[in-house]
């Protein structure tokens, strides 16, 4: 029987994960966006409404991340019908938690359920990436892939992206602290130097390789030693008041590492279960010293990706 309407949830995500700028991210199921898509006899894609924690987003499908993703899907598949959608935003705007990606992912996952022959998730990735590009100004999948597939995900390539879900050692959790302020992803990308100094390149490459190998071999010492962004974080930390104090407090409380979530201003720390509460308290109290209120969560790094929740 043809499915006329479907609703999908896509989780938030932490992109970059300190050492994997534009290529690494993990899903955060504590919050996410929900999109309902319905078949329409009228061709084209329409955004009927946006509700939730962020309503001030374009209703024009071309300019909306979820709308643009569905246009890409409908055009590529040459669908004989149109699509209408409503978006329920659970992820605050410009928070560094992958809100634009989650809307695009939820839209393509819901739309996929309406197809006579639904596609595998890997085929949905590029449609969602086109949506995300509307918001961030460039094609990268470090929020899209974890939101779509779930867990800690590495994406290699843009034209023909390949994704790999990386195992996370047991007992590792993430503390997420979202201060009530905005950082524009486009602006946070614009301030980045176009060149990387050779020794930083070597150091960052070693850190990425160390972190990934530490994940595969349950080597917490390697994860701790390699979890440092020497390229992007030094350039962006000025965008977050009290960044160094927050990071130092998390590390003093036992975190394995602490950095900026995506383009910020949300910060995150990886830590062992036993240290999570202390790390959370340390980060929240440092943000408070900056007069910043935060929403905070302790979450599993290994978690589910986008799924249909009603059809
Ligand atoms: N990797 C991206 C960045 C994530 O840090 O700019 C936000 O789109």
């Amino acid at each position: 029987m043809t499915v006329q309407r479907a609703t999908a949830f896509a989780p938030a995500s932490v992109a970059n994960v300190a050492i994997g700028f534009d290529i690494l991210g993990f899903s955060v199921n504590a919050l996410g966006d929900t999109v309902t898509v319905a078949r329409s006899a009228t061709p084209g894609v329409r955004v009927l409404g946006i509700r939730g924690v962020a309503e001030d987003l374009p209703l024009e499908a071309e300019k909306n991340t979820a709308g643009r993703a569905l246009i890409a899907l409908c055009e590529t598949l040459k669908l004989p019908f149109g699509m209408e959608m409503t978006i329920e935003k659970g992820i605050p705007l410009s928070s560094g938690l992958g809100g634009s990606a989650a809307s695009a992912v939820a839209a393509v996952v819901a739309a996929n359920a309406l197809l006579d022959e639904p596609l595998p998730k890997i085929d949905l990735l590029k449609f969602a990436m086109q949506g995300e590009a509307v918001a961030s100004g460039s094609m990268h999948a470090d929020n899209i892939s974890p939101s779509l597939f779930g867990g800690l995900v590495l994406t290699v390539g843009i034209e023909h992206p390949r994704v790999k879900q990386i195992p996370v050692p047991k007992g590792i959790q993430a503390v997420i602290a979202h201060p009530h302020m905005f950082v524009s992803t486009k602006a946070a990308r614009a301030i980045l130097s176009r060149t990387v100094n050779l020794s930083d390149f070597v150091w960052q490459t070693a850190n990425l390789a160390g972190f990934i190998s530490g994940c595969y071999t349950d080597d917490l010492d390697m994860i701790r030693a390699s979890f440092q962004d020497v390229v992007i974080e030094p350039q962006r930390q000025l965008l977050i008041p009290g960044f160094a104090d927050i990071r130092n407090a998390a590390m003093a409380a036992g975190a394995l590492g602490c950095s900026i979530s995506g383009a910020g201003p949300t910060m995150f720390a990886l830590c062992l279960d036993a240290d999570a509460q202390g790390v959370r308290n340390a980060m929240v109290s440092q943000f408070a010293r900056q007069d910043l209120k935060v929403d905070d969560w302790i979450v599993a790094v290994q978690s589910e990706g986008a799924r249909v929740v009603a059809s």
Side-chain angles (χ1 to χ4, degrees), residues 16-294:
N16 301 336
V17 199
I19 30 59
F21 181 65
D22 277 2
I23 58 171
L24 197 62
F26 65 84
S27 52
V28 176
N29 267 265
L31 65 172
D33 288 355
T34 305
V35 177
T36 299
V37 182
R39 281 188 183 226
S40 158
T42 314
V45 172
R46 283 163 298 284
V47 183
L48 300 183
I50 304 170
R51 294 188 300 266
V53 298
E55 297 177 347
D56 192 18
L57 287 165
L59 283 168
E60 206 178 320
E62 269 290 344
K63 294 185 178 159
N64 180 292
T65 60
R68 187 70 198 86
L70 284 204
I71 290 170
L73 182 146
C74 290
E75 287 181 354
T76 305
L77 302 180
K78 299 186 173 44
L79 296 181
F81 54 89
M83 292 192 183
E84 296 180 339
M85 75 178 124
T86 53
I87 303 168
E88 178 78 36
K89 292 292 298 179
I91 305 171
L93 283 187
S94 302
S95 60
L97 285 166
S100 48
S103 289
V105 167
V108 297
V109 169
N112 194 41
L114 309 183
L115 304 181
D116 295 330
E117 291 176 41
L119 301 168
K121 277 188 171 178
I122 188 70
D123 291 347
L124 301 177
L125 181 65
K126 285 194 75 175
F127 304 136
M129 282 170 73
Q130 291 194 37
E132 158 79 343
V134 173
S136 67
S138 82
M139 287 274 263
H140 51 272
D142 53 345
N143 286 114
I144 295 281
S145 293
S147 183
L148 183 58
F149 294 96
L152 176 64
V153 185
L154 172 72
T155 310
V156 176
I158 297 286
E159 280 306 311
H160 302 288
R162 286 170 172 76
V163 297
K164 184 66 84 181
Q165 287 170 293
I166 311 286
V168 180
K170 267 204 181 63
I172 290 193
Q173 293 195 320
V175 174
I176 316 278
H178 163 236
H180 293 188
M181 58 178 281
F182 303 98
V183 168
S184 139
T185 299
K186 277 185 184 157
R189 293 180 79 80
I191 63 167
L192 298 177
S193 166
R194 303 292 107 184
T195 56
V196 177
N197 133 347
L198 186 60
S199 62
D200 287 346
F201 169 77
V202 173
W203 194 358
Q204 189 90 339
T205 311
N207 284 351
L208 176 60
F211 176 72
I212 302 273
S213 63
C215 284
Y216 273 97
T217 55
D218 280 344
D219 185 342
L220 295 180
D221 182 54
M222 178 64 104
I223 290 174
R224 191 192 300 272
S226 59
F227 205 76
Q228 191 187 349
D229 172 6
V230 298
V231 174
I232 306 298
E233 189 182 287
Q235 301 180 68
R236 281 183 171 170
Q237 58 179 280
L238 293 175
L239 301 174
I240 303 174
F243 173 87
D245 291 340
I246 299 159
R247 184 177 187 281
N248 291 342
M251 297 308 288
L256 295 166
C258 174
S259 188
I260 304 168
S261 172
T266 294
M267 289 181 63
F268 77 101
L270 295 187
C271 53
L272 296 176
D273 295 344
D275 298 319
Q277 198 60 52
V279 170
R280 177 219 284 247
N281 295 344
M283 292 173 75
V284 171
S285 59
Q286 286 300 326
F287 269 121
R289 292 184 66 173
Q290 302 295 327
D291 282 334
L292 282 167
K293 287 209 169 68
V294 296

